[in-house]
């Protein structure tokens, strides 16, 4: 059986979708199946390194990218299908070709944010992109999503015309050695900071975290710092970085809250290895990869009680009421002051992380690919 994996979107993908596509491709190669022949549209590492459209800021550059993406999905990818004659096409970036195809389609729709949070997107762009998604849902299409929470959300917004299966993904494999100089350069030492890694999208609730952290300092007399690593939100509507920077100044937290921006895998590894705790205050997630990354490094996690994060953490994290600043502050105080709690959460997290391996990830795909009847 031939399976064609569409990896074109790696030339602009960031954070979660990039991790998903890269880890799926790696797992397919690391754990081959005797009945399946994989065909990649692009070499993963090469496509991910292509910077042609990564710095697209002007309207003309963005338009050129969208035209290139449309060309790929509607003309070049169908031509590849004619050439390779796959039995199954996997599109891991929400969109499958609108053209009729002779093969099964597995389309990965990671979450329902476009429908749940329309205010976070440009009205025109959102309408265009959701139209592309819907036009690709045709014929022998099966939807793959990342959690039961996402599945229920998609059923609410897309209906049940196409079967939707949940496949738990694997976290990013950080192969680079930890950068031993990064903590020292940022005046950090082991166990003296809380950590969050990710873009400053509004749904991440990072201003809430900064406010809760300021209250934590006032109530606990602690000298623990807060590291918020990552770049700005993906659009003007979604970007909370300016709000966070203003809060840091208003609360007098310069030198306490560190904003190192985008960081390398080696720097990410160093931050995880030294963190006292990982804080994930998001109001909406389809999955929650950082929780698993932190678990894998033995870092205790505080997370909101948003449904996908509760599902992924599986009781191995310390949850607080989503959006409740006072509750988050209390959890920060609790985590810092209770050594036994940190030890217990570390042990639970390591156990939980084993449920999300690369092998489990690809085996779930194999089960769907080899099934003669789509999942209910």
């Amino acid at each position: 059986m031939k399976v064609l994996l569409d990896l074109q979107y790696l030339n602009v993908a960031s954070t979660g979708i990039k991790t998903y596509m890269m880890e799926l491709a790696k797992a397919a190669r690391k754990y081959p199946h005797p009945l399946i022949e994989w065909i990649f549209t692009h070499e993963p590492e090469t496509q991910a390194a292509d910077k042609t459209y990564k710095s697209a800021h002007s309207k003309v550059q963005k338009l050129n990218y969208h035209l290139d993406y449309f060309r790929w999905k509607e003309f070049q990818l169908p031509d590849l299908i004619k050439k390779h004659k796959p039995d199954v096409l996997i599109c891991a970036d929400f969109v499958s070709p609108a053209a009729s195809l002779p093969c099964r389609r597995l389309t990965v729709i990671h979450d329902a944010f476009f429908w749940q949070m329309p205010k976070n997107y440009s009205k025109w762009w959102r309408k265009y992109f959701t139209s592309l998604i819907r036009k690709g849902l045709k014929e022998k299409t099966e939807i793959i999503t990342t959690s039961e929470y996402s599945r229920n959300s998609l059923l609410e917004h897309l209906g049940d015309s196409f079967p939707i299966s949940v496949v738990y993904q694997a976290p990013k494999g950080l192969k680079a050695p930890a950068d031993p100089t990064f903590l020292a350069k940022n005046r950090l030492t082991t166990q003296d900071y809380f950590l969050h890694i990710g873009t400053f999208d509004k749904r991440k609730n990072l201003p809430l975290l900064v406010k809760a952290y300021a209250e934590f300092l006032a109530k606990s007399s602690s000298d623990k710092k807060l590291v918020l690593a990552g770049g700005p939100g993906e659009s003007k509507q979604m970007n909370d970085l300016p709000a966070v920077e203003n809060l840091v100044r208003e609360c007098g937290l310069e030198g306490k809250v560190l904003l190192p921006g985008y960081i390398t895998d080696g720097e990410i590894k160093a931050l995880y290895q030294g963190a006292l705790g990982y804080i994930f205050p998001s109001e909406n997630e389809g999955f929650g990869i950082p929780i698993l990354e932190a678990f894998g490094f033995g870092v205790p996690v505080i997370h909101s009680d948003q449904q996908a994060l509760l599902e992924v953490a599986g009781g191995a994290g310390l949850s607080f009421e989503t959006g409740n600043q006072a509750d988050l502050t209390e959890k920060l105080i609790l985590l810092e002051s209770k050594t036994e709690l940190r030890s217990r959460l570390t042990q639970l997290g390591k156990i939980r992380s084993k449920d999300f391996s690369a092998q489990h990830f690809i085996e779930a795909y194999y089960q769907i690919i080899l099934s003669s009847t789509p999942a209910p």
Side-chain angles (χ1 to χ4, degrees), residues 110-140:
H110 298 255
D111 49 61
F113 296 163
F114 298 115
W115 299 277
Q116 292 173 321
M117 312 174 78
K119 65 182 182 299
N120 285 355
Y121 304 92
S122 159
K123 184 177 180 181
W124 177 88
W125 184 88
R126 175 182 169 274
K127 184 176 181 181
Y128 166 73
F129 198 72
T130 54
S131 173
L132 284 182
I133 293 172
R134 288 183 183 276
K135 287 179 179 178
L137 297 177
K138 61 194 304 180
E139 301 164 337
K140 294 176 286 185

Side-chain angles (χ1 to χ4, degrees), residues 52-53 55-68 71:
T52 304
Y53 295 109
S55 58
H57 298 299
S58 73
K59 289 183 178 179
V60 172
Q61 289 173 322
K62 290 178 180 178
L63 177 61
N64 284 338
Y65 165 69
H66 288 305
L67 289 173
D68 182 74
R71 242 186 339 261

